[in-house]
Amino acid sequence: MKIRFGVGTSSGTGPEEFAALVDRLESAGVDSLWLSELVYSKSVDPFVGMAFALARTTRLKVGTSVAILPGRHPVLVAKQLASLAALAPKRVLPVFGLQPARAGERDLFPVPPGKRGAVFDESLRLLRTALDHDEFAFEGEFFTVGDAGLGARPARPLDIWLGGSAPAAYRRIGRLADGWLGSFLTPAEAADGRRAIQAAAAEAGREIEADHFGISLVLAPDGLPDDLAAGIVRRRPGVDPSDLVAGSWKELHRLIDGYLEAGLSKFVVGTVGEPLTGEFIDRFTAELLPRQN
């Protein structure tokens, strides 16, 4: 399996830092940059940020971690992805989720009450249809598209990954996605998630490639702040915070070892809240790039 490490942006990385970050990652040979969808923050919008970063580089891959699909029209999303993939082949890595982690942003992605999961499933099917066919028509419960086509589409099919860690999310990934980017899971929980996804894929007559399983990790290089540790305890009672967030580079390596043993091979590493600094990128390349194969 190809082991790869990418850098994830945080809520503290805004437009004023973004260009320098992109340039630093490209020159350092980092595999990928990942943009979170955090609307009520200084963060760059993921689709705008992908376009900017791809136009500024020749090698760096760029992905979303994660963008919200339900509440957007999937044909418009397909057009954005097809355009990006045509302009920067093999460097566009879309990952989608069910809903924002922040409750205050959920109204920005409206769907019929009680239908978010069903809208997500149908959106994924329509997104794939639009990306994979020169001409298509679609009729579902929530979307109807007459005879249509996006024009140019990716020369090779785009892999669509999903986030999520609930049983329903694992079933959806197995049935409809090409890969999984988890978060906030212990290595043992990630292993269980991978097995559940593979079982759902097999039940649907599908197979997800072995190296299409990854996880987003948070590094607090100066130790786990008390407020973050307390938040983890509230969110995940009974789970040791050090099994979810790395309090040092040494601890990050320990977690990575556990996830590798669990069958994961793609890692998105970010920091706690602050903008990503040159010092962090230098340490990232020294610590993690030698672990790639």
Side-chain angles (χ1 to χ4, degrees):
M1 295 192 298
K2 291 182 179 179
I3 299 170
R4 294 290 183 268
F5 295 93
V7 168
T9 59
S10 68
S11 59
T13 304
E16 60 271 26
E17 299 95 8
F18 194 70
L21 170 63
V22 169
D23 293 349
R24 192 72 174 254
L25 295 177
E26 174 83 351
S27 63
V30 173
D31 178 73
S32 53
L33 170 64
W34 297 81
L35 307 175
S36 298
E37 183 140 66
L38 300 169
V39 179
Y40 295 138
S41 77
K42 63 185 293 188
S43 296
V44 175
D45 173 86
F47 287 94
V48 172
M50 281 199 297
F52 179 90
L54 292 168
R56 199 176 178 91
T57 58
T58 60
R59 186 206 50 78
L60 184 71
K61 304 184 192 79
V62 186
T64 58
S65 64
V66 298
I68 309 308
L69 186 57
R72 287 184 163 107
H73 198 294
V75 173
L76 296 179
V77 176
K79 181 66 175 182
Q80 290 175 309
L81 292 177
S83 298
L84 288 171
L87 293 166
K90 302 181 182 180
R91 295 200 288 140
V92 180
L93 308 172
V95 183
F96 293 107
L98 180 69
Q99 64 183 358
R102 297 178 174 184
E105 297 180 0
R106 293 175 185 173
D107 289 344
L108 303 176
F109 302 91
V111 298
K115 296 286 189 176
R116 184 164 292 273
V119 170
F120 196 11
D121 288 355
E122 189 170 305
S123 295
L124 287 165
R125 289 193 290 269
L126 177 51
L127 177 69
R128 181 86 68 186
T129 298
L131 286 171
D132 290 352
H133 297 87
D134 292 325
E135 301 290 336
F136 66 93
F138 186 94
E139 184 171 353
E141 181 181 356
F142 308 103
F143 302 102
T144 299
V145 180
D147 292 337
L150 299 181
R153 58 187 180 86
R156 77 176 206 178
L158 275 175
D159 285 338
I160 305 296
W161 289 33
L162 302 182
S165 59
Y170 295 148
R171 292 191 294 272
R172 178 177 295 112
I173 296 162
R175 289 186 289 105
L176 299 171
D178 299 303
W180 174 49
L181 185 67
S183 63
F184 218 64
L185 297 167
T186 69
E189 291 169 338
D192 290 340
R194 178 184 59 78
R195 286 190 288 266
I197 291 166
Q198 289 175 318
E203 185 176 346
R206 305 178 68 241
E207 182 179 359
I208 295 178
E209 295 181 35
D211 65 351
H212 279 42
F213 294 88
I215 192 153
S216 293
L217 297 173
V218 175
L219 169 67
D222 298 320
L224 199 61
D226 291 342
D227 57 343
L228 178 58
I232 293 171
V233 169
R234 288 193 299 270
R235 180 175 172 180
R236 297 295 310 278
V239 178
D240 186 342
S242 67
D243 286 335
L244 297 170
V245 176
S248 67
W249 288 97
K250 181 179 179 180
E251 284 298 295
L252 180 65
H253 283 289
R254 178 183 65 82
L255 285 176
I256 289 168
D257 290 340
Y259 292 118
L260 288 170
E261 187 175 345
L264 279 61
S265 61
K266 303 297 184 287
F267 301 92
V268 176
V269 181
T271 59
V272 181
E274 298 300 320
L276 294 164
T277 63
E279 180 182 358
F280 172 84
I281 302 303
D282 290 344
R283 189 70 183 271
F284 178 99
T285 59
E287 295 277 351
L288 299 179
L289 264 59
R291 299 198 64 167
Q292 295 189 157
N293 57 5

